[in-house]
mmCIF file of all heavy atoms in Angstrom:
data_model
loop_
_atom_site.group_PDB
_atom_site.id
_atom_site.type_symbol
_atom_site.label_atom_id
_atom_site.label_comp_id
_atom_site.label_asym_id
_atom_site.label_seq_id
_atom_site.Cartn_x
_atom_site.Cartn_y
_atom_site.Cartn_z
ATOM 1 N N CYS W 1450 -0.688 -153.892 232.407
ATOM 2 C CA CYS W 1450 0.683 -154.360 232.664
ATOM 3 C C CYS W 1450 1.236 -153.691 233.918
ATOM 4 O O CYS W 1450 1.936 -154.310 234.704
ATOM 5 C CB CYS W 1450 1.593 -154.060 231.468
ATOM 6 S SG CYS W 1450 1.275 -155.122 230.039
ATOM 7 N N GLY W 1451 0.897 -152.416 234.103
ATOM 8 C CA GLY W 1451 1.335 -151.687 235.301
ATOM 9 C C GLY W 1451 0.747 -152.286 236.556
ATOM 10 O O GLY W 1451 1.396 -152.318 237.606
ATOM 11 N N TYR W 1452 -0.483 -152.759 236.465
ATOM 12 C CA TYR W 1452 -1.142 -153.412 237.604
ATOM 13 C C TYR W 1452 -0.379 -154.679 237.996
ATOM 14 O O TYR W 1452 -0.289 -155.032 239.159
ATOM 15 C CB TYR W 1452 -2.593 -153.749 237.238
ATOM 16 C CG TYR W 1452 -3.385 -154.378 238.352
ATOM 17 C CD1 TYR W 1452 -3.833 -153.616 239.430
ATOM 18 C CD2 TYR W 1452 -3.679 -155.736 238.337
ATOM 19 C CE1 TYR W 1452 -4.544 -154.192 240.466
ATOM 20 C CE2 TYR W 1452 -4.397 -156.323 239.363
ATOM 21 C CZ TYR W 1452 -4.833 -155.544 240.422
ATOM 22 O OH TYR W 1452 -5.547 -156.120 241.446
ATOM 23 N N ALA W 1453 0.192 -155.341 236.971
ATOM 24 C CA ALA W 1453 0.992 -156.553 237.214
ATOM 25 C C ALA W 1453 2.464 -156.206 237.452
ATOM 26 O O ALA W 1453 3.330 -157.071 237.358
ATOM 27 C CB ALA W 1453 0.852 -157.501 236.027
ATOM 28 N N GLU W 1454 2.736 -154.922 237.727
ATOM 29 C CA GLU W 1454 4.081 -154.416 237.997
ATOM 30 C C GLU W 1454 5.050 -154.678 236.840
ATOM 31 O O GLU W 1454 6.209 -155.029 237.028
ATOM 32 C CB GLU W 1454 4.623 -154.989 239.306
ATOM 33 C CG GLU W 1454 3.809 -154.552 240.509
ATOM 34 C CD GLU W 1454 4.351 -155.097 241.810
ATOM 35 O OE1 GLU W 1454 5.402 -155.741 241.810
ATOM 36 O OE2 GLU W 1454 3.692 -154.873 242.839
ATOM 37 N N ASN W 1455 4.532 -154.495 235.624
ATOM 38 C CA ASN W 1455 5.366 -154.655 234.437
ATOM 39 C C ASN W 1455 5.168 -153.395 233.582
ATOM 40 O O ASN W 1455 4.111 -153.228 232.981
ATOM 41 C CB ASN W 1455 4.926 -155.921 233.674
ATOM 42 C CG ASN W 1455 5.727 -156.104 232.394
ATOM 43 O OD1 ASN W 1455 6.754 -155.486 232.203
ATOM 44 N ND2 ASN W 1455 5.216 -156.966 231.521
ATOM 45 N N ASN W 1456 6.144 -152.505 233.588
ATOM 46 C CA ASN W 1456 6.016 -151.241 232.841
ATOM 47 C C ASN W 1456 6.240 -151.463 231.354
ATOM 48 O O ASN W 1456 7.351 -151.753 230.926
ATOM 49 C CB ASN W 1456 7.010 -150.196 233.367
ATOM 50 C CG ASN W 1456 6.615 -149.694 234.728
ATOM 51 O OD1 ASN W 1456 5.461 -149.810 235.125
ATOM 52 N ND2 ASN W 1456 7.572 -149.143 235.448
ATOM 53 N N LYS W 1457 5.154 -151.320 230.589
ATOM 54 C CA LYS W 1457 5.210 -151.496 229.147
ATOM 55 C C LYS W 1457 4.594 -150.276 228.478
ATOM 56 O O LYS W 1457 3.607 -149.726 228.981
ATOM 57 C CB LYS W 1457 4.410 -152.744 228.752
ATOM 58 C CG LYS W 1457 5.204 -153.792 228.024
ATOM 59 C CD LYS W 1457 4.339 -155.003 227.782
ATOM 60 C CE LYS W 1457 4.857 -155.779 226.597
ATOM 61 N NZ LYS W 1457 4.020 -156.913 226.295
ATOM 62 N N LYS W 1458 5.160 -149.864 227.375
ATOM 63 C CA LYS W 1458 4.658 -148.672 226.669
ATOM 64 C C LYS W 1458 3.313 -148.986 226.000
ATOM 65 O O LYS W 1458 3.163 -150.001 225.329
ATOM 66 C CB LYS W 1458 5.677 -148.233 225.615
ATOM 67 C CG LYS W 1458 5.322 -146.927 224.962
ATOM 68 C CD LYS W 1458 6.385 -146.517 223.950
ATOM 69 C CE LYS W 1458 5.934 -145.290 223.211
ATOM 70 N NZ LYS W 1458 6.788 -144.983 222.076
ATOM 71 N N ALA W 1459 2.347 -148.080 226.208
ATOM 72 C CA ALA W 1459 1.015 -148.249 225.606
ATOM 73 C C ALA W 1459 1.017 -147.748 224.168
ATOM 74 O O ALA W 1459 1.684 -146.760 223.846
ATOM 75 C CB ALA W 1459 -0.020 -147.487 226.420
ATOM 76 N N GLU W 1460 0.297 -148.422 223.312
ATOM 77 C CA GLU W 1460 0.141 -148.010 221.914
ATOM 78 C C GLU W 1460 -1.252 -147.424 221.668
ATOM 79 O O GLU W 1460 -1.455 -146.635 220.774
ATOM 80 C CB GLU W 1460 0.352 -149.208 220.967
ATOM 81 C CG GLU W 1460 1.730 -149.839 221.054
ATOM 82 C CD GLU W 1460 2.846 -148.900 220.637
ATOM 83 O OE1 GLU W 1460 2.638 -148.078 219.717
ATOM 84 O OE2 GLU W 1460 3.935 -148.977 221.239
ATOM 85 N N LYS W 1461 -2.220 -147.866 222.488
ATOM 86 C CA LYS W 1461 -3.613 -147.420 222.352
ATOM 87 C C LYS W 1461 -4.114 -146.886 223.688
ATOM 88 O O LYS W 1461 -3.567 -147.194 224.747
ATOM 89 C CB LYS W 1461 -4.530 -148.572 221.907
ATOM 90 C CG LYS W 1461 -4.227 -149.128 220.535
ATOM 91 C CD LYS W 1461 -4.727 -148.218 219.452
ATOM 92 C CE LYS W 1461 -4.486 -148.831 218.081
ATOM 93 N NZ LYS W 1461 -4.967 -148.005 217.011
ATOM 94 N N TRP W 1462 -5.180 -146.072 223.603
ATOM 95 C CA TRP W 1462 -5.821 -145.525 224.802
ATOM 96 C C TRP W 1462 -7.298 -145.874 224.736
ATOM 97 O O TRP W 1462 -7.961 -145.636 223.736
ATOM 98 C CB TRP W 1462 -5.646 -144.010 224.845
ATOM 99 C CG TRP W 1462 -6.279 -143.393 226.043
ATOM 100 C CD1 TRP W 1462 -7.524 -142.842 226.122
ATOM 101 C CD2 TRP W 1462 -5.719 -143.264 227.348
ATOM 102 N NE1 TRP W 1462 -7.777 -142.392 227.392
ATOM 103 C CE2 TRP W 1462 -6.677 -142.624 228.173
ATOM 104 C CE3 TRP W 1462 -4.498 -143.625 227.914
ATOM 105 C CZ2 TRP W 1462 -6.451 -142.351 229.514
ATOM 106 C CZ3 TRP W 1462 -4.268 -143.345 229.249
ATOM 107 C CH2 TRP W 1462 -5.241 -142.712 230.040
ATOM 108 N N CYS W 1463 -7.817 -146.493 225.814
ATOM 109 C CA CYS W 1463 -9.241 -146.816 225.879
ATOM 110 C C CYS W 1463 -9.957 -145.628 226.502
ATOM 111 O O CYS W 1463 -9.674 -145.253 227.644
ATOM 112 C CB CYS W 1463 -9.472 -148.076 226.720
ATOM 113 S SG CYS W 1463 -11.232 -148.452 226.871
ATOM 114 N N THR W 1464 -10.870 -145.029 225.735
ATOM 115 C CA THR W 1464 -11.588 -143.842 226.218
ATOM 116 C C THR W 1464 -12.630 -144.195 227.279
ATOM 117 O O THR W 1464 -13.051 -143.330 228.028
ATOM 118 C CB THR W 1464 -12.288 -143.113 225.054
ATOM 119 O OG1 THR W 1464 -13.203 -144.014 224.419
ATOM 120 C CG2 THR W 1464 -11.284 -142.617 224.026
ATOM 121 N N VAL W 1465 -13.014 -145.470 227.347
ATOM 122 C CA VAL W 1465 -14.002 -145.900 228.339
ATOM 123 C C VAL W 1465 -13.298 -146.230 229.658
ATOM 124 O O VAL W 1465 -13.661 -145.724 230.714
ATOM 125 C CB VAL W 1465 -14.813 -147.117 227.831
ATOM 126 C CG1 VAL W 1465 -15.819 -147.567 228.871
ATOM 127 C CG2 VAL W 1465 -15.510 -146.766 226.518
ATOM 128 N N CYS W 1466 -12.264 -147.060 229.594
ATOM 129 C CA CYS W 1466 -11.519 -147.447 230.799
ATOM 130 C C CYS W 1466 -10.562 -146.335 231.249
ATOM 131 O O CYS W 1466 -10.112 -146.343 232.397
ATOM 132 C CB CYS W 1466 -10.706 -148.711 230.535
ATOM 133 S SG CYS W 1466 -11.702 -150.145 230.098
ATOM 134 N N GLU W 1467 -10.273 -145.430 230.332
ATOM 135 C CA GLU W 1467 -9.349 -144.316 230.588
ATOM 136 C C GLU W 1467 -7.978 -144.800 231.047
ATOM 137 O O GLU W 1467 -7.441 -144.372 232.056
ATOM 138 C CB GLU W 1467 -9.948 -143.328 231.601
ATOM 139 C CG GLU W 1467 -11.183 -142.627 231.070
ATOM 140 C CD GLU W 1467 -11.727 -141.579 232.039
ATOM 141 O OE1 GLU W 1467 -11.336 -141.577 233.221
ATOM 142 O OE2 GLU W 1467 -12.555 -140.773 231.594
ATOM 143 N N GLU W 1468 -7.415 -145.722 230.240
ATOM 144 C CA GLU W 1468 -6.056 -146.178 230.503
ATOM 145 C C GLU W 1468 -5.415 -146.652 229.206
ATOM 146 O O GLU W 1468 -6.091 -146.955 228.224
ATOM 147 C CB GLU W 1468 -6.029 -147.279 231.566
ATOM 148 C CG GLU W 1468 -6.671 -148.580 231.160
ATOM 149 C CD GLU W 1468 -6.561 -149.651 232.250
ATOM 150 O OE1 GLU W 1468 -5.910 -149.401 233.284
ATOM 151 O OE2 GLU W 1468 -7.121 -150.732 232.047
ATOM 152 N N GLY W 1469 -4.075 -146.700 229.229
ATOM 153 C CA GLY W 1469 -3.319 -147.119 228.060
ATOM 154 C C GLY W 1469 -3.274 -148.630 227.942
ATOM 155 O O GLY W 1469 -3.398 -149.353 228.940
ATOM 156 N N LEU W 1470 -3.086 -149.086 226.687
ATOM 157 C CA LEU W 1470 -3.009 -150.527 226.426
ATOM 158 C C LEU W 1470 -1.836 -150.808 225.491
ATOM 159 O O LEU W 1470 -1.686 -150.149 224.458
ATOM 160 C CB LEU W 1470 -4.300 -151.028 225.765
ATOM 161 C CG LEU W 1470 -5.603 -150.859 226.551
ATOM 162 C CD1 LEU W 1470 -6.798 -151.138 225.653
ATOM 163 C CD2 LEU W 1470 -5.627 -151.773 227.757
ATOM 164 N N CYS W 1471 -1.025 -151.807 225.863
ATOM 165 C CA CYS W 1471 0.041 -152.242 224.955
ATOM 166 C C CYS W 1471 -0.599 -153.127 223.877
ATOM 167 O O CYS W 1471 -1.798 -153.412 223.934
ATOM 168 C CB CYS W 1471 1.133 -152.985 225.728
ATOM 169 S SG CYS W 1471 0.586 -154.567 226.417
ATOM 170 N N VAL W 1472 0.199 -153.567 222.924
ATOM 171 C CA VAL W 1472 -0.338 -154.373 221.809
ATOM 172 C C VAL W 1472 -1.001 -155.649 222.320
ATOM 173 O O VAL W 1472 -2.101 -156.014 221.882
ATOM 174 C CB VAL W 1472 0.790 -154.702 220.794
ATOM 175 C CG1 VAL W 1472 0.280 -155.601 219.687
ATOM 176 C CG2 VAL W 1472 1.384 -153.426 220.216
ATOM 177 N N ASP W 1473 -0.352 -156.330 223.269
ATOM 178 C CA ASP W 1473 -0.902 -157.590 223.796
ATOM 179 C C ASP W 1473 -2.204 -157.354 224.556
ATOM 180 O O ASP W 1473 -3.191 -158.070 224.363
ATOM 181 C CB ASP W 1473 0.117 -158.277 224.722
ATOM 182 C CG ASP W 1473 1.372 -158.699 223.962
ATOM 183 O OD1 ASP W 1473 1.252 -158.952 222.738
ATOM 184 O OD2 ASP W 1473 2.447 -158.757 224.576
ATOM 185 N N CYS W 1474 -2.215 -156.321 225.420
ATOM 186 C CA CYS W 1474 -3.422 -156.040 226.214
ATOM 187 C C CYS W 1474 -4.565 -155.536 225.336
ATOM 188 O O CYS W 1474 -5.737 -155.750 225.654
ATOM 189 C CB CYS W 1474 -3.107 -155.033 227.316
ATOM 190 S SG CYS W 1474 -2.039 -155.736 228.615
ATOM 191 N N GLU W 1475 -4.212 -154.878 224.226
ATOM 192 C CA GLU W 1475 -5.249 -154.413 223.287
ATOM 193 C C GLU W 1475 -6.003 -155.608 222.702
ATOM 194 O O GLU W 1475 -7.232 -155.598 222.604
ATOM 195 C CB GLU W 1475 -4.598 -153.590 222.162
ATOM 196 C CG GLU W 1475 -5.581 -153.097 221.130
ATOM 197 C CD GLU W 1475 -4.906 -152.523 219.890
ATOM 198 O OE1 GLU W 1475 -3.678 -152.352 219.897
ATOM 199 O OE2 GLU W 1475 -5.623 -152.262 218.906
ATOM 200 N N LYS W 1476 -5.246 -156.659 222.344
ATOM 201 C CA LYS W 1476 -5.875 -157.873 221.799
ATOM 202 C C LYS W 1476 -6.816 -158.504 222.831
ATOM 203 O O LYS W 1476 -7.931 -158.908 222.507
ATOM 204 C CB LYS W 1476 -4.801 -158.882 221.383
ATOM 205 C CG LYS W 1476 -4.027 -158.475 220.149
ATOM 206 C CD LYS W 1476 -2.913 -159.457 219.851
ATOM 207 C CE LYS W 1476 -2.059 -158.963 218.695
ATOM 208 N NZ LYS W 1476 -0.852 -159.771 218.502
ATOM 209 N N VAL W 1477 -6.351 -158.563 224.080
ATOM 210 C CA VAL W 1477 -7.180 -159.132 225.160
ATOM 211 C C VAL W 1477 -8.411 -158.257 225.376
ATOM 212 O O VAL W 1477 -9.527 -158.762 225.520
ATOM 213 C CB VAL W 1477 -6.352 -159.253 226.472
ATOM 214 C CG1 VAL W 1477 -7.228 -159.690 227.629
ATOM 215 C CG2 VAL W 1477 -5.188 -160.208 226.276
ATOM 216 N N HIS W 1478 -8.222 -156.947 225.358
ATOM 217 C CA HIS W 1478 -9.304 -155.978 225.559
ATOM 218 C C HIS W 1478 -10.406 -156.179 224.513
ATOM 219 O O HIS W 1478 -11.601 -156.134 224.829
ATOM 220 C CB HIS W 1478 -8.724 -154.560 225.449
ATOM 221 C CG HIS W 1478 -9.488 -153.515 226.198
ATOM 222 N ND1 HIS W 1478 -9.481 -153.413 227.566
ATOM 223 C CD2 HIS W 1478 -10.287 -152.506 225.755
ATOM 224 C CE1 HIS W 1478 -10.224 -152.397 227.940
ATOM 225 N NE2 HIS W 1478 -10.740 -151.832 226.854
ATOM 226 N N LYS W 1479 -9.979 -156.413 223.260
ATOM 227 C CA LYS W 1479 -10.943 -156.601 222.167
ATOM 228 C C LYS W 1479 -11.612 -157.974 222.214
ATOM 229 O O LYS W 1479 -12.679 -158.170 221.631
ATOM 230 C CB LYS W 1479 -10.248 -156.421 220.812
ATOM 231 C CG LYS W 1479 -9.912 -154.978 220.508
ATOM 232 C CD LYS W 1479 -9.232 -154.862 219.152
ATOM 233 C CE LYS W 1479 -8.967 -153.425 218.793
ATOM 234 N NZ LYS W 1479 -8.259 -153.288 217.513
ATOM 235 N N SER W 1480 -10.973 -158.900 222.893
ATOM 236 C CA SER W 1480 -11.536 -160.266 222.922
ATOM 237 C C SER W 1480 -12.539 -160.479 224.056
ATOM 238 O O SER W 1480 -13.336 -161.405 224.017
ATOM 239 C CB SER W 1480 -10.398 -161.293 223.037
ATOM 240 O OG SER W 1480 -9.765 -161.181 224.300
ATOM 241 N N ILE W 1481 -12.516 -159.628 225.075
ATOM 242 C CA ILE W 1481 -13.448 -159.773 226.206
ATOM 243 C C ILE W 1481 -14.776 -159.114 225.847
ATOM 244 O O ILE W 1481 -14.809 -157.986 225.335
ATOM 245 C CB ILE W 1481 -12.846 -159.134 227.488
ATOM 246 C CG1 ILE W 1481 -11.566 -159.877 227.870
ATOM 247 C CG2 ILE W 1481 -13.843 -159.160 228.637
ATOM 248 C CD1 ILE W 1481 -10.778 -159.216 228.976
ATOM 249 N N LYS W 1482 -15.868 -159.790 226.113
ATOM 250 C CA LYS W 1482 -17.205 -159.333 225.706
ATOM 251 C C LYS W 1482 -17.544 -157.943 226.268
ATOM 252 O O LYS W 1482 -18.091 -157.095 225.570
ATOM 253 C CB LYS W 1482 -18.259 -160.359 226.152
ATOM 254 C CG LYS W 1482 -19.643 -160.060 225.637
ATOM 255 C CD LYS W 1482 -20.609 -161.161 226.012
ATOM 256 C CE LYS W 1482 -21.969 -160.893 225.405
ATOM 257 N NZ LYS W 1482 -22.929 -161.943 225.732
ATOM 258 N N THR W 1483 -17.219 -157.706 227.533
ATOM 259 C CA THR W 1483 -17.594 -156.426 228.167
ATOM 260 C C THR W 1483 -16.772 -155.236 227.669
ATOM 261 O O THR W 1483 -17.209 -154.089 227.771
ATOM 262 C CB THR W 1483 -17.450 -156.509 229.704
ATOM 263 O OG1 THR W 1483 -16.125 -156.941 230.003
ATOM 264 C CG2 THR W 1483 -18.471 -157.440 230.295
ATOM 265 N N THR W 1484 -15.595 -155.503 227.128
ATOM 266 C CA THR W 1484 -14.741 -154.391 226.659
ATOM 267 C C THR W 1484 -14.565 -154.372 225.143
ATOM 268 O O THR W 1484 -13.874 -153.508 224.610
ATOM 269 C CB THR W 1484 -13.344 -154.462 227.329
ATOM 270 O OG1 THR W 1484 -12.738 -155.724 227.011
ATOM 271 C CG2 THR W 1484 -13.447 -154.270 228.821
ATOM 272 N N ARG W 1485 -15.218 -155.320 224.477
ATOM 273 C CA ARG W 1485 -15.056 -155.476 223.025
ATOM 274 C C ARG W 1485 -15.422 -154.209 222.245
ATOM 275 O O ARG W 1485 -14.762 -153.862 221.274
ATOM 276 C CB ARG W 1485 -15.934 -156.642 222.560
ATOM 277 C CG ARG W 1485 -15.683 -157.090 221.142
ATOM 278 C CD ARG W 1485 -16.461 -158.349 220.831
ATOM 279 N NE ARG W 1485 -15.992 -159.458 221.650
ATOM 280 C CZ ARG W 1485 -16.737 -160.491 222.036
ATOM 281 N NH1 ARG W 1485 -17.995 -160.567 221.679
ATOM 282 N NH2 ARG W 1485 -16.234 -161.436 222.787
ATOM 283 N N ASN W 1486 -16.472 -153.514 222.678
ATOM 284 C CA ASN W 1486 -16.952 -152.336 221.938
ATOM 285 C C ASN W 1486 -16.420 -151.005 222.490
ATOM 286 O O ASN W 1486 -16.906 -149.945 222.109
ATOM 287 C CB ASN W 1486 -18.482 -152.312 221.931
ATOM 288 C CG ASN W 1486 -19.052 -153.488 221.162
ATOM 289 O OD1 ASN W 1486 -18.520 -153.865 220.120
ATOM 290 N ND2 ASN W 1486 -20.105 -154.092 221.679
ATOM 291 N N HIS W 1487 -15.451 -151.097 223.374
ATOM 292 C CA HIS W 1487 -14.852 -149.851 223.887
ATOM 293 C C HIS W 1487 -14.114 -149.130 222.759
ATOM 294 O O HIS W 1487 -13.528 -149.761 221.887
ATOM 295 C CB HIS W 1487 -13.863 -150.152 225.027
ATOM 296 C CG HIS W 1487 -14.541 -150.493 226.307
ATOM 297 N ND1 HIS W 1487 -13.863 -150.602 227.499
ATOM 298 C CD2 HIS W 1487 -15.849 -150.752 226.601
ATOM 299 C CE1 HIS W 1487 -14.709 -150.916 228.463
ATOM 300 N NE2 HIS W 1487 -15.913 -151.027 227.941
ATOM 301 N N ARG W 1488 -14.165 -147.806 222.822
ATOM 302 C CA ARG W 1488 -13.499 -146.999 221.780
ATOM 303 C C ARG W 1488 -12.019 -146.854 222.111
ATOM 304 O O ARG W 1488 -11.647 -146.382 223.182
ATOM 305 C CB ARG W 1488 -14.163 -145.624 221.712
ATOM 306 C CG ARG W 1488 -13.498 -144.686 220.746
ATOM 307 C CD ARG W 1488 -14.497 -143.955 219.886
ATOM 308 N NE ARG W 1488 -13.909 -142.848 219.149
ATOM 309 C CZ ARG W 1488 -13.168 -142.966 218.066
ATOM 310 N NH1 ARG W 1488 -12.898 -144.160 217.596
ATOM 311 N NH2 ARG W 1488 -12.692 -141.914 217.452
ATOM 312 N N LEU W 1489 -11.163 -147.298 221.183
ATOM 313 C CA LEU W 1489 -9.712 -147.192 221.345
ATOM 314 C C LEU W 1489 -9.166 -146.156 220.362
ATOM 315 O O LEU W 1489 -9.568 -146.119 219.200
ATOM 316 C CB LEU W 1489 -9.032 -148.540 221.086
ATOM 317 C CG LEU W 1489 -9.471 -149.723 221.962
ATOM 318 C CD1 LEU W 1489 -8.717 -150.976 221.557
ATOM 319 C CD2 LEU W 1489 -9.258 -149.424 223.432
ATOM 320 N N ILE W 1490 -8.271 -145.324 220.862
ATOM 321 C CA ILE W 1490 -7.597 -144.343 219.994
ATOM 322 C C ILE W 1490 -6.096 -144.497 220.195
ATOM 323 O O ILE W 1490 -5.651 -145.078 221.189
ATOM 324 C CB ILE W 1490 -8.046 -142.887 220.306
ATOM 325 C CG1 ILE W 1490 -7.742 -142.513 221.758
ATOM 326 C CG2 ILE W 1490 -9.509 -142.683 219.987
ATOM 327 C CD1 ILE W 1490 -7.978 -141.050 222.077
ATOM 328 N N SER W 1491 -5.326 -143.961 219.264
ATOM 329 C CA SER W 1491 -3.870 -144.064 219.403
ATOM 330 C C SER W 1491 -3.400 -143.159 220.541
ATOM 331 O O SER W 1491 -4.063 -142.175 220.884
ATOM 332 C CB SER W 1491 -3.179 -143.657 218.099
ATOM 333 O OG SER W 1491 -3.322 -142.267 217.885
ATOM 334 N N THR W 1492 -2.268 -143.506 221.127
ATOM 335 C CA THR W 1492 -1.735 -142.690 222.225
ATOM 336 C C THR W 1492 -1.344 -141.302 221.717
ATOM 337 O O THR W 1492 -1.408 -140.333 222.477
ATOM 338 C CB THR W 1492 -0.519 -143.381 222.891
ATOM 339 O OG1 THR W 1492 0.431 -143.740 221.889
ATOM 340 C CG2 THR W 1492 -0.943 -144.600 223.682
ATOM 341 N N GLN W 1493 -0.979 -141.197 220.419
ATOM 342 C CA GLN W 1493 -0.659 -139.880 219.839
ATOM 343 C C GLN W 1493 -1.900 -138.995 219.833
ATOM 344 O O GLN W 1493 -1.830 -137.813 220.177
ATOM 345 C CB GLN W 1493 -0.105 -140.010 218.412
ATOM 346 C CG GLN W 1493 1.264 -140.627 218.322
ATOM 347 C CD GLN W 1493 1.229 -142.149 218.239
ATOM 348 O OE1 GLN W 1493 0.172 -142.763 218.343
ATOM 349 N NE2 GLN W 1493 2.390 -142.758 218.097
ATOM 350 N N ASP W 1494 -3.045 -139.586 219.439
ATOM 351 C CA ASP W 1494 -4.300 -138.825 219.442
ATOM 352 C C ASP W 1494 -4.685 -138.440 220.865
ATOM 353 O O ASP W 1494 -5.153 -137.331 221.119
ATOM 354 C CB ASP W 1494 -5.440 -139.639 218.804
ATOM 355 C CG ASP W 1494 -5.279 -139.748 217.296
ATOM 356 O OD1 ASP W 1494 -4.459 -138.989 216.737
ATOM 357 O OD2 ASP W 1494 -5.957 -140.582 216.691
#
């Protein structure tokens, strides 16, 4: 979202991409074949 100049709070963190993901981007992240198996953790963790 930040890349698209839209500041949105992240709920998850991708340990592979090393960036935060909001709820919508998390769904997209899980749906793409290359990022489907990336490990996601909560931003609190």
Side-chain angles (χ1 to χ4, degrees):
C1450 287
Y1452 182 74
E1454 296 181 5
N1455 178 15
N1456 289 340
K1457 239 176 156 183
K1458 187 178 174 190
E1460 299 297 325
K1461 296 284 183 179
W1462 180 265
C1463 178
T1464 59
V1465 179
C1466 299
E1467 295 184 345
E1468 67 178 355
L1470 299 168
C1471 67
V1472 176
D1473 296 332
C1474 290
E1475 179 191 351
K1476 289 176 186 171
V1477 174
H1478 206 72
K1479 287 180 176 178
S1480 67
I1481 297 171
K1482 187 175 184 179
T1483 54
T1484 59
R1485 191 173 295 151
N1486 295 320
H1487 285 190
R1488 176 135 168 77
L1489 302 179
I1490 59 172
S1491 70
T1492 52
Q1493 291 87 355
D1494 288 346

